mmCIF file of all heavy atoms in Angstrom:
data_model
loop_
_atom_site.group_PDB
_atom_site.id
_atom_site.type_symbol
_atom_site.label_atom_id
_atom_site.label_comp_id
_atom_site.label_asym_id
_atom_site.label_seq_id
_atom_site.Cartn_x
_atom_site.Cartn_y
_atom_site.Cartn_z
ATOM 1 N N GLY A 1 0.787 -1.199 0.015
ATOM 2 C CA GLY A 1 0.035 -0.027 0.004
ATOM 3 C C GLY A 1 0.844 1.240 0.002
ATOM 4 O O GLY A 1 1.994 1.256 0.482
ATOM 5 N N ASP A 2 0.332 2.311 -0.588
ATOM 6 C CA ASP A 2 0.875 3.605 -0.579
ATOM 7 C C ASP A 2 -0.141 4.571 0.072
ATOM 8 O O ASP A 2 -1.021 4.997 -0.660
ATOM 9 C CB ASP A 2 1.319 4.061 -1.954
ATOM 10 C CG ASP A 2 2.123 5.385 -1.935
ATOM 11 O OD1 ASP A 2 1.913 6.155 -1.056
ATOM 12 O OD2 ASP A 2 2.827 5.581 -2.944
ATOM 13 N N ASN A 3 -0.009 4.847 1.319
ATOM 14 C CA ASN A 3 -1.026 5.637 2.049
ATOM 15 C C ASN A 3 -1.096 7.058 1.448
ATOM 16 O O ASN A 3 -2.185 7.664 1.404
ATOM 17 C CB ASN A 3 -0.693 5.690 3.519
ATOM 18 C CG ASN A 3 -0.885 4.325 4.203
ATOM 19 O OD1 ASN A 3 -1.639 3.501 3.732
ATOM 20 N ND2 ASN A 3 -0.129 4.096 5.272
ATOM 21 N N ALA A 4 -0.003 7.623 1.043
ATOM 22 C CA ALA A 4 -0.010 9.001 0.477
ATOM 23 C C ALA A 4 -0.768 9.014 -0.809
ATOM 24 O O ALA A 4 -1.366 10.118 -1.159
ATOM 25 C CB ALA A 4 1.464 9.427 0.229
ATOM 26 N N LYS A 5 -0.851 7.958 -1.535
ATOM 27 C CA LYS A 5 -1.595 7.922 -2.847
ATOM 28 C C LYS A 5 -2.958 7.264 -2.655
ATOM 29 O O LYS A 5 -3.639 7.130 -3.679
ATOM 30 C CB LYS A 5 -0.770 7.197 -3.901
ATOM 31 C CG LYS A 5 0.567 7.907 -4.276
ATOM 32 C CD LYS A 5 1.284 7.123 -5.380
ATOM 33 C CE LYS A 5 2.527 7.871 -5.779
ATOM 34 N NZ LYS A 5 3.277 7.183 -6.862
ATOM 35 N N ASN A 6 -3.358 6.858 -1.469
ATOM 36 C CA ASN A 6 -4.603 6.148 -1.224
ATOM 37 C C ASN A 6 -4.724 4.947 -2.122
ATOM 38 O O ASN A 6 -5.827 4.686 -2.707
ATOM 39 C CB ASN A 6 -5.731 7.084 -1.425
ATOM 40 C CG ASN A 6 -5.753 8.283 -0.468
ATOM 41 O OD1 ASN A 6 -5.301 8.149 0.658
ATOM 42 N ND2 ASN A 6 -6.152 9.444 -0.929
ATOM 43 N N THR A 7 -3.651 4.274 -2.348
ATOM 44 C CA THR A 7 -3.593 3.141 -3.396
ATOM 45 C C THR A 7 -3.031 1.932 -2.716
ATOM 46 O O THR A 7 -2.087 1.880 -1.959
ATOM 47 C CB THR A 7 -2.755 3.589 -4.576
ATOM 48 O OG1 THR A 7 -3.360 4.761 -5.191
ATOM 49 C CG2 THR A 7 -2.740 2.474 -5.639
ATOM 50 N N VAL A 8 -3.680 0.757 -3.126
ATOM 51 C CA VAL A 8 -3.159 -0.572 -2.755
ATOM 52 C C VAL A 8 -2.856 -1.329 -4.009
ATOM 53 O O VAL A 8 -3.579 -1.162 -5.068
ATOM 54 C CB VAL A 8 -4.225 -1.308 -1.920
ATOM 55 C CG1 VAL A 8 -3.758 -2.719 -1.678
ATOM 56 C CG2 VAL A 8 -4.508 -0.564 -0.634
ATOM 57 N N TYR A 9 -1.792 -2.104 -3.957
ATOM 58 C CA TYR A 9 -1.349 -2.800 -5.127
ATOM 59 C C TYR A 9 -1.347 -4.345 -4.820
ATOM 60 O O TYR A 9 -1.295 -4.759 -3.674
ATOM 61 C CB TYR A 9 0.087 -2.450 -5.448
ATOM 62 C CG TYR A 9 0.300 -0.987 -5.679
ATOM 63 C CD1 TYR A 9 0.791 -0.160 -4.646
ATOM 64 C CD2 TYR A 9 -0.030 -0.377 -6.881
ATOM 65 C CE1 TYR A 9 0.968 1.205 -4.844
ATOM 66 C CE2 TYR A 9 0.133 0.969 -7.067
ATOM 67 C CZ TYR A 9 0.652 1.785 -6.086
ATOM 68 O OH TYR A 9 0.807 3.136 -6.239
ATOM 69 N N LEU A 10 -1.430 -5.089 -5.906
ATOM 70 C CA LEU A 10 -1.296 -6.534 -5.838
ATOM 71 C C LEU A 10 -0.336 -6.974 -6.929
ATOM 72 O O LEU A 10 -0.706 -6.957 -8.113
ATOM 73 C CB LEU A 10 -2.648 -7.272 -5.941
ATOM 74 C CG LEU A 10 -2.568 -8.766 -5.765
ATOM 75 C CD1 LEU A 10 -2.253 -9.112 -4.299
ATOM 76 C CD2 LEU A 10 -3.907 -9.450 -6.160
ATOM 77 N N GLN A 11 0.854 -7.292 -6.562
ATOM 78 C CA GLN A 11 1.838 -7.783 -7.518
ATOM 79 C C GLN A 11 1.580 -9.300 -7.639
ATOM 80 O O GLN A 11 1.727 -10.014 -6.679
ATOM 81 C CB GLN A 11 3.234 -7.516 -7.120
ATOM 82 C CG GLN A 11 4.342 -8.016 -7.991
ATOM 83 C CD GLN A 11 4.356 -7.373 -9.383
ATOM 84 O OE1 GLN A 11 4.187 -6.139 -9.456
ATOM 85 N NE2 GLN A 11 4.508 -8.138 -10.445
ATOM 86 N N MET A 12 1.359 -9.758 -8.922
ATOM 87 C CA MET A 12 1.041 -11.179 -9.127
ATOM 88 C C MET A 12 2.144 -11.722 -10.076
ATOM 89 O O MET A 12 2.279 -11.289 -11.160
ATOM 90 C CB MET A 12 -0.317 -11.339 -9.736
ATOM 91 C CG MET A 12 -1.393 -10.693 -8.882
ATOM 92 S SD MET A 12 -3.058 -11.036 -9.553
ATOM 93 C CE MET A 12 -2.945 -10.185 -11.160
ATOM 94 N N ASN A 13 2.909 -12.697 -9.489
ATOM 95 C CA ASN A 13 3.950 -13.342 -10.305
ATOM 96 C C ASN A 13 3.628 -14.783 -10.525
ATOM 97 O O ASN A 13 2.826 -15.384 -9.792
ATOM 98 C CB ASN A 13 5.283 -13.154 -9.625
ATOM 99 C CG ASN A 13 5.717 -11.710 -9.432
ATOM 100 O OD1 ASN A 13 5.431 -10.889 -10.281
ATOM 101 N ND2 ASN A 13 6.468 -11.434 -8.393
ATOM 102 N N THR A 14 4.336 -15.395 -11.396
ATOM 103 C CA THR A 14 4.128 -16.828 -11.746
ATOM 104 C C THR A 14 2.688 -17.195 -11.836
ATOM 105 O O THR A 14 2.202 -18.155 -11.196
ATOM 106 C CB THR A 14 4.829 -17.712 -10.643
ATOM 107 O OG1 THR A 14 6.124 -17.140 -10.293
ATOM 108 C CG2 THR A 14 5.114 -19.095 -11.148
ATOM 109 N N LEU A 15 1.935 -16.418 -12.655
ATOM 110 C CA LEU A 15 0.545 -16.670 -12.819
ATOM 111 C C LEU A 15 0.196 -17.942 -13.406
ATOM 112 O O LEU A 15 0.911 -18.474 -14.279
ATOM 113 C CB LEU A 15 -0.016 -15.493 -13.588
ATOM 114 C CG LEU A 15 -0.254 -14.194 -12.767
ATOM 115 C CD1 LEU A 15 -0.395 -12.996 -13.730
ATOM 116 C CD2 LEU A 15 -1.443 -14.278 -11.908
ATOM 117 N N LYS A 16 -0.937 -18.514 -12.935
ATOM 118 C CA LYS A 16 -1.405 -19.835 -13.417
ATOM 119 C C LYS A 16 -2.826 -19.675 -13.998
ATOM 120 O O LYS A 16 -3.526 -18.699 -13.635
ATOM 121 C CB LYS A 16 -1.501 -20.830 -12.217
ATOM 122 C CG LYS A 16 -0.204 -20.975 -11.436
ATOM 123 C CD LYS A 16 -0.401 -21.839 -10.260
ATOM 124 C CE LYS A 16 0.859 -22.059 -9.427
ATOM 125 N NZ LYS A 16 0.672 -22.922 -8.249
ATOM 126 N N PRO A 17 -3.202 -20.562 -14.873
ATOM 127 C CA PRO A 17 -4.570 -20.468 -15.481
ATOM 128 C C PRO A 17 -5.651 -20.410 -14.355
ATOM 129 O O PRO A 17 -6.656 -19.733 -14.558
ATOM 130 C CB PRO A 17 -4.593 -21.706 -16.298
ATOM 131 C CG PRO A 17 -3.278 -22.052 -16.721
ATOM 132 C CD PRO A 17 -2.395 -21.601 -15.522
ATOM 133 N N GLU A 18 -5.400 -21.119 -13.245
ATOM 134 C CA GLU A 18 -6.418 -21.059 -12.164
ATOM 135 C C GLU A 18 -6.518 -19.748 -11.461
ATOM 136 O O GLU A 18 -7.373 -19.569 -10.604
ATOM 137 C CB GLU A 18 -6.187 -22.194 -11.188
ATOM 138 C CG GLU A 18 -4.751 -22.267 -10.626
ATOM 139 C CD GLU A 18 -3.880 -23.225 -11.414
ATOM 140 O OE1 GLU A 18 -3.977 -23.289 -12.654
ATOM 141 O OE2 GLU A 18 -3.125 -24.009 -10.729
ATOM 142 N N ASP A 19 -5.566 -18.789 -11.743
ATOM 143 C CA ASP A 19 -5.693 -17.447 -11.214
ATOM 144 C C ASP A 19 -6.686 -16.571 -12.043
ATOM 145 O O ASP A 19 -6.964 -15.462 -11.624
ATOM 146 C CB ASP A 19 -4.345 -16.788 -11.177
ATOM 147 C CG ASP A 19 -3.325 -17.452 -10.293
ATOM 148 O OD1 ASP A 19 -3.711 -17.793 -9.148
ATOM 149 O OD2 ASP A 19 -2.133 -17.596 -10.692
ATOM 150 N N THR A 20 -7.213 -17.134 -13.112
ATOM 151 C CA THR A 20 -8.138 -16.357 -13.939
ATOM 152 C C THR A 20 -9.410 -16.081 -13.129
ATOM 153 O O THR A 20 -9.987 -16.975 -12.583
ATOM 154 C CB THR A 20 -8.511 -17.170 -15.173
ATOM 155 O OG1 THR A 20 -7.371 -17.339 -16.002
ATOM 156 C CG2 THR A 20 -9.612 -16.501 -16.013
ATOM 157 N N ALA A 21 -9.725 -14.828 -13.059
ATOM 158 C CA ALA A 21 -10.900 -14.340 -12.252
ATOM 159 C C ALA A 21 -11.079 -12.894 -12.480
ATOM 160 O O ALA A 21 -10.231 -12.181 -13.016
ATOM 161 C CB ALA A 21 -10.732 -14.702 -10.802
ATOM 162 N N VAL A 22 -12.189 -12.362 -11.949
ATOM 163 C CA VAL A 22 -12.336 -10.950 -11.753
ATOM 164 C C VAL A 22 -11.820 -10.663 -10.345
ATOM 165 O O VAL A 22 -12.199 -11.240 -9.347
ATOM 166 C CB VAL A 22 -13.815 -10.546 -11.811
ATOM 167 C CG1 VAL A 22 -13.961 -9.007 -11.588
ATOM 168 C CG2 VAL A 22 -14.372 -10.830 -13.248
ATOM 169 N N TYR A 23 -10.939 -9.694 -10.249
ATOM 170 C CA TYR A 23 -10.265 -9.294 -8.983
ATOM 171 C C TYR A 23 -10.933 -7.994 -8.523
ATOM 172 O O TYR A 23 -11.081 -7.003 -9.223
ATOM 173 C CB TYR A 23 -8.762 -9.081 -9.230
ATOM 174 C CG TYR A 23 -8.043 -10.435 -9.324
ATOM 175 C CD1 TYR A 23 -8.207 -11.269 -10.402
ATOM 176 C CD2 TYR A 23 -7.197 -10.893 -8.281
ATOM 177 C CE1 TYR A 23 -7.571 -12.479 -10.486
ATOM 178 C CE2 TYR A 23 -6.563 -12.104 -8.365
ATOM 179 C CZ TYR A 23 -6.773 -12.914 -9.483
ATOM 180 O OH TYR A 23 -6.097 -14.098 -9.549
ATOM 181 N N TYR A 24 -11.340 -8.039 -7.268
ATOM 182 C CA TYR A 24 -11.960 -6.913 -6.541
ATOM 183 C C TYR A 24 -11.200 -6.417 -5.446
ATOM 184 O O TYR A 24 -10.639 -7.154 -4.634
ATOM 185 C CB TYR A 24 -13.342 -7.391 -6.063
ATOM 186 C CG TYR A 24 -14.316 -7.868 -7.039
ATOM 187 C CD1 TYR A 24 -14.373 -9.148 -7.457
ATOM 188 C CD2 TYR A 24 -15.188 -6.962 -7.633
ATOM 189 C CE1 TYR A 24 -15.264 -9.639 -8.355
ATOM 190 C CE2 TYR A 24 -16.109 -7.406 -8.615
ATOM 191 C CZ TYR A 24 -16.154 -8.738 -8.956
ATOM 192 O OH TYR A 24 -17.121 -9.195 -9.923
ATOM 193 N N CYS A 25 -11.203 -5.094 -5.304
ATOM 194 C CA CYS A 25 -10.576 -4.404 -4.198
ATOM 195 C C CYS A 25 -11.677 -4.193 -3.144
ATOM 196 O O CYS A 25 -12.828 -3.892 -3.460
ATOM 197 C CB CYS A 25 -10.034 -3.122 -4.669
ATOM 198 S SG CYS A 25 -9.210 -2.058 -3.410
#
């Protein structure tokens, strides 16, 4: 997270087909 930017991140590595989805914050 970056509190100054009011932003949260999700770094996703080594992605797999089963990671396919709609991602919600």
Side-chain angles (χ1 to χ4, degrees):
D2 186 334
N3 293 332
K5 295 183 178 179
N6 300 324
T7 300
V8 174
Y9 305 97
L10 185 68
Q11 177 67 44
M12 306 185 295
N13 298 328
T14 319
L15 282 160
K16 304 175 181 180
E18 51 264 43
D19 294 318
T20 295
V22 178
Y23 284 70
Y24 297 90
C25 178

